């Protein structure tokens, strides 16, 4: 009897962990023609990027999405000397609209690609508007491993990378098509187990204020290449999905380069002022990635640990600070149910948990005010 | 004859009893003193300047910690945990890391892990801090004892008052290590993050006590 009650409690706990949060919906830009940028490789390993891009374009076209012809894209990129493909700055966004007539640019970053034992793929895509004021219209990530859903007798296992690619790009194309038709993105799940372990939220941070947020690349203290850029990208994803206005990372990069902001060990107050004034932001998010490790082999676990600080424009103070760390098997008790197989998916869920806590007004604690979990 | 003399003089008999058992009594007293010292753990490993008004400390800057452990990244990780936990108390404001780096650079601090009184004064003036914290990571990572292994952390922190350059608070904490449970059941002990959190929590309790 006791064991039955215990099992029931665990099941209920598992159900309560995934709460759904509906995103703000906006009317969809139907019939929008988009340019698919060359894929940015943040995996740290050589990848057949052209083939992946062709597969992505095929998936988009199969959903009826209009894509700018490659010859026109190459011509534009040559004329404007586009070298950075991880974002778009204000000047090029304006030129895109004027010269090619596209309404948006699809920027894709490959986070992880692993062909064997089991195959793993993690990719983040975002659609940025062209014209005078480029903004992130839509963002989606797809991270999966071949053994995520083994099913009965292992029939659901995907043992080859093309099969996994098809599923990942199908998810992305479906989400983008949904956005373009209805202006709605998929609902976001938040998981309590990925919440930060320590956090500070200043009373200055107003939950009702519509902040415009700039996410500066995180400082990478991990052994994983490009972990700082990846973590920043996951925060852009989480913030945008939570309904915040997020400055396009390409514009943040342009601002940091133009004003020669060197972030040695973090963002100083004068540097933060520069970011606020030139990017018209109210909050700047910066952090450090301590661990960003993908699973090795079928039994391995991803590990992610990061620290986040948010500096507010008016007070020039840190209004949010948190420390998050998780392993892929956290909160997993039976049959690998709820196990996360890629660091990208886990980082995304952890970022979503941080953003959710930033939004909610916390109840004041009487003790010493310490907010530890 | 001797017994008759002792019976006639009871005071001397008592004196003889203490003289004979003096070693035993000393031993018992020593053990008692040791036990009492063990019970008095409240102030152990902590120094607080009694003349300092800690209520006046509103802004704290945390300098990079010195790393004496084998783990290269331990000092940065522990410092980040300490800064976040100190900020989360809501008692003090902690200067962000980027601002600390700017302060170190502008003050011309030669060794940020062990600054001089003049350097601390100059640095605190730049970052507008009322107190500066320095620290040393003595041990961080996995230890082994026989077939058992566990995670351990040992660190000490100091708080310096910038105007005078005096140490106003100093504390140490050691957490983790191989326990009886680890020896019997194995499992590698608590994860490093939890051990670090426990040690930093203890230090912050010592600061705010």
């Amino acid at each position: 009897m006791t064991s039955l009650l215990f099992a029931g409690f665990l099941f209920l706990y598992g159900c309560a962990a995934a709460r759904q949060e509906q995103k703000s919906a906006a009317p969809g830009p139907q019939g929008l023609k988009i340019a698919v940028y060359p894929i940015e490789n943040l995996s740290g390993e050589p990848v057949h990027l052209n083939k992946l891009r062709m597969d992505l374009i095929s998936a988009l076209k199969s959903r009826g999405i209009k894509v700018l012809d490659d010859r026109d894209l190459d011509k534009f990129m040559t004329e404007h000397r586009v070298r950075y493909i991880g974002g778009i700055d204000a000047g090029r966004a304006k030129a895109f609209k004027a010269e090619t007539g596209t309404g948006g640019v699809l920027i894709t970053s490959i986070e992880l690609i692993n062909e064997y034992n089991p195959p793993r793929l993690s990719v983040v895509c975002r659609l940025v508007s062209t014209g005078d004021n480029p903004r992130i219209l839509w963002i989606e990530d797809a991270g999966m491993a071949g053994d995520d859903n083994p099913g009965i007798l292992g029939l659901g296992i995907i043992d080859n990378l093309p099969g996994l690619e098809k599923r990942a790009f199908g998810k992305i194309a479906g989400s983008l098509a949904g956005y373009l038709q209805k202006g709605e993105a998929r609902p976001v799940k938040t998981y309590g187990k990925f919440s930060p372990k320590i956090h500070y939220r200043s009373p200055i941070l107003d939950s009702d204020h519509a902040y415009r947020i700039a996410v500066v690349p995180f400082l990478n203290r991990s052994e994983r290449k490009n972990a700082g850029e990846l973590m920043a990208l996951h925060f852009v994803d989480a913030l945008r999905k939570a309904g915040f206005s997020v400055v396009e990372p390409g514009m943040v990069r342009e601002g940091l380069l133009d004003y020669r902001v060197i972030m040695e060990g973090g963002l100083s107050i004068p540097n933060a002022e520069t970011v606020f004034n030139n990017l018209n932001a109210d909050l700047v998010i910066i952090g450090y990635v301590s661990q960003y490790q993908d699973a090795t082999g079928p039994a391995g676990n991803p590990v992610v640990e990061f620290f986040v600080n948010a500096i507010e424009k008016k007070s020039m103070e840190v209004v949010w600070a948190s420390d998050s760390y998780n392993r892929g098997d956290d909160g997993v008790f039976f049959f690998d149910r709820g196990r996360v197989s890629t660091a990208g998916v886990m980082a995304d869920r952890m970022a979503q948990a941080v953003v959710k806590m930033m939004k909610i007004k916390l109840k004041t604690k009487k003790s010493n005010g310490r907010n530890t979990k | 004859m001797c017994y008759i003399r002792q019976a006639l003089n009871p005071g001397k008999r008592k004196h003889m009893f203490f003289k004979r058992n003096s070693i035993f009594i000393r031993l018992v007293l020593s053990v008692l003193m040791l036990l009492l010292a063990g019970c008095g753990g409240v102030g152990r490993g902590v120094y607080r300047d009694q003349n300092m008004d800690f209520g006046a400390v509103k802004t704290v800057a945390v300098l990079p910690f010195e790393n004496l452990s084998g783990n290269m990244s331990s000092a940065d990780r522990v410092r980040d945990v300490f800064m976040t936990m100190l900020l989360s108390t809501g008692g003090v404001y902690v200067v962000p890391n980027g601002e600390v780096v700017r302060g170190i650079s502008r003050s011309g601090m030669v060794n940020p892990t062990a600054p001089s009184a003049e350097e601390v004064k100059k640095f605190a003036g730049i970052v507008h801090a009322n107190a500066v914290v320095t620290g040393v990571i003595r041990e961080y990572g996995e230890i082994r004892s026989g077939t058992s292994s566990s995670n351990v952390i040992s660190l000490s922190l100091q708080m310096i008052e910038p105007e005078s350059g005096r140490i106003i608070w100093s504390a140490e904490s050691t957490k983790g290590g191989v326990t009886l449970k680890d020896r019997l059941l194995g499992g590698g002990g608590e994860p490093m993050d939890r051990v670090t959190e426990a040690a930093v929590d203890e230090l912050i309790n010592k600061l705010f006590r």
Side-chain angles (χ1 to χ4, degrees):
Chain A
M1 186 64 190
T2 315
S3 57
L4 270 173
L5 279 171
F6 180 64
F9 171 74
L10 285 174
F11 273 115
L12 287 172
Y13 179 79
C15 295
R19 277 170 246 128
Q20 293 220 336
E21 188 179 295
Q22 191 66 40
K23 281 176 284 178
S24 59
Q30 285 185 352
L32 188 84
K33 188 162 87 171
I34 63 169
V36 180
Y37 248 26
I39 294 174
E40 183 192 29
N41 184 9
L42 296 177
S43 71
E45 285 168 19
V47 180
H48 295 294
L49 296 170
N50 279 335
K51 188 195 165 289
L52 283 176
R53 185 170 168 271
M54 287 303 125
D55 292 344
L56 176 63
I57 289 172
S58 303
L60 295 173
K61 282 182 175 170
S62 70
R63 299 274 180 163
I65 298 166
K66 292 177 192 168
V67 178
L68 179 73
D69 189 57
D70 268 357
R71 275 181 302 177
D72 295 338
L73 180 67
D74 287 344
K75 191 182 163 197
F76 177 86
M77 292 186 82
T78 312
E79 279 176 8
H80 290 269
R81 296 178 182 178
V82 179
R83 289 189 191 89
Y84 177 62
I85 49 172
I88 187 161
D89 57 47
R92 289 191 177 109
K94 199 175 175 179
F96 243 117
K97 181 85 174 171
E99 293 175 25
T100 63
T102 50
V105 178
L106 190 74
I107 295 158
T108 311
S109 305
I110 288 283
E111 179 174 347
L112 170 74
I113 190 158
N114 185 10
E115 210 165 337
Y116 303 107
N117 193 28
R120 287 191 176 93
L121 180 68
S122 192
V123 58
V124 185
C125 279
R126 67 179 188 275
L127 184 68
V128 183
S129 70
T130 53
D132 280 331
N133 185 22
R135 61 194 178 88
I136 300 166
L137 298 172
W138 162 93
I139 186 161
E140 188 64 85
D141 69 296
M144 50 189 72
D147 59 352
D148 272 349
N149 301 304
I152 300 164
L153 303 173
L155 293 170
I157 291 175
I158 301 170
D159 57 0
N160 57 75
L161 192 59
L164 207 62
E165 270 177 37
K166 197 178 170 185
R167 186 184 274 189
F169 290 151
K171 182 193 171 189
I172 284 169
S175 172
L176 180 58
Y179 167 75
L180 293 174
Q181 279 168 9
K182 301 173 193 167
E184 287 177 4
R186 291 181 187 185
V188 182
K189 279 182 186 176
T190 51
Y191 299 80
K193 66 180 180 181
F194 295 113
S195 297
K197 304 297 176 278
I198 314 162
H199 73 271
Y200 161 73
R201 189 184 193 277
S202 166
I204 297 168
L205 198 60
D206 182 7
S207 299
D208 303 324
H209 189 270
Y211 287 104
R212 184 173 154 83
I213 305 173
V215 184
V216 173
F218 283 34
L219 298 179
N220 186 11
R221 289 179 187 156
S222 74
E223 290 170 8
R224 168 71 187 265
K225 204 176 172 183
N226 304 318
E229 285 83 0
L230 288 168
M231 206 60 239
L233 206 54
H234 288 300
F235 263 91
V236 169
D237 183 1
L239 288 163
R240 181 67 195 91
K241 283 176 178 169
F244 284 104
S245 169
V246 188
V247 181
E248 154 58 23
M251 288 174 70
V252 174
R253 184 179 179 271
E254 185 194 20
L256 295 175
L257 288 173
D258 283 356
Y259 292 92
R260 291 173 175 76
V261 175
I262 297 163
M263 293 187 299
E264 200 184 333
L267 199 67
S268 65
I269 296 300
N271 284 347
E273 271 179 355
T274 310
V275 172
F276 287 132
N277 295 333
N278 296 296
L279 297 171
N280 193 25
D282 307 308
L283 268 183
V284 63
I285 287 185
I286 179 141
Y288 313 90
V289 186
S290 301
Q291 290 189 80
Y292 202 100
Q293 192 183 312
D294 261 299
T296 47
N301 269 314
V303 184
V304 175
E305 181 178 6
F306 61 85
F307 299 84
V308 188
N309 281 354
I311 302 173
E312 203 254 346
K313 186 181 183 178
K314 279 184 193 165
S315 60
M316 281 293 167
E317 279 188 7
V318 175
V319 291
W320 174 270
S322 64
D323 169 21
S324 303
Y325 57 84
N326 277 102
R327 288 166 57 90
D329 61 352
D330 281 348
V332 176
F333 300 106
F334 298 114
F335 310 115
D336 281 350
R337 184 86 184 146
R339 185 171 163 262
V340 181
S341 53
T342 61
V345 173
M346 203 160 72
D348 199 55
R349 290 180 184 179
M350 289 163 81
Q352 278 166 6
V354 169
V355 170
K356 190 185 175 188
M357 288 183 83
M358 279 173 81
K359 280 186 84 179
I360 297 169
K361 264 186 183 166
L362 300 174
K363 288 172 189 170
T364 49
K365 284 190 177 179
K366 282 283 175 190
S367 57
N368 59 0
R370 199 174 307 165
N371 305 317
T372 53
K373 252 194 104 187
Chain B
M1 190 66 186
C2 183
Y3 291 111
I4 296 165
R5 212 180 292 157
Q6 278 181 11
L8 289 170
N9 196 347
K12 198 173 180 183
R13 193 173 59 179
K14 198 176 175 184
H15 176 73
M16 287 296 286
F17 172 79
F18 278 111
K19 201 174 178 181
R20 277 180 194 165
N21 296 294
S22 62
I23 296 165
F24 175 71
I25 290 164
R26 278 178 197 171
L27 197 71
V28 168
L29 282 172
S30 305
V31 170
L32 276 172
M33 279 173 73
L34 281 171
L35 285 173
L36 286 170
C39 295
V42 174
R44 192 176 54 164
V46 190
Y47 163 74
R48 281 172 71 95
D49 189 337
Q50 297 302 317
N51 300 318
M52 179 66 195
D53 175 16
F54 282 87
V57 177
K58 301 281 181 202
T59 307
V60 175
V62 184
L63 285 171
F65 292 170
E66 185 160 11
N67 186 12
L68 302 180
S69 75
N71 190 312
M72 293 293 280
S73 62
S74 63
D76 288 333
R77 289 174 74 180
V78 177
R79 181 172 167 245
D80 284 335
V81 172
F82 177 70
M83 284 171 76
T84 312
M85 284 183 87
L86 190 58
L87 200 55
S88 75
T89 62
V92 288
Y93 178 71
V94 181
V95 178
N97 198 23
E99 189 66 0
V100 170
V101 173
R102 188 179 74 94
I104 290 168
S105 172
R106 284 195 61 190
S107 62
M109 210 178 267
V110 181
N111 183 7
T113 56
S116 67
E118 293 78 27
E119 284 173 336
V120 169
K121 191 176 181 179
K122 201 175 171 186
F123 166 79
I126 293 164
V127 298
H128 307 293
N130 306 123
V132 174
V133 173
T134 60
V136 180
I137 310 295
R138 299 187 299 232
E139 193 76 58
Y140 185 95
E142 195 183 58
I143 54 158
R144 289 197 154 272
S145 174
T147 54
S148 311
S149 68
S150 187
N151 291 313
V152 69
I153 184 169
S154 180
L155 75 158
S156 61
L157 302 181
Q158 294 179 325
M159 187 180 274
I160 304 165
E161 202 274 313
E163 283 305 310
S164 59
R166 283 185 305 122
I167 293 168
I168 55 169
W169 171 82
S170 180
E172 64 87 26
S173 177
T174 301
K175 291 280 172 188
V178 181
T179 59
L180 184 65
K181 188 186 140 200
D182 298 327
R183 284 186 204 279
L184 292 174
L185 304 171
E190 286 282 297
M192 201 62 234
D193 299 305
R194 281 188 209 151
V195 176
T196 306
E197 213 174 282
V200 172
D201 200 36
E202 187 182 62
L203 284 169
I204 289 175
N205 281 333
K206 285 176 177 175
L207 175 64
F208 284 101
R209 181 169 288 151

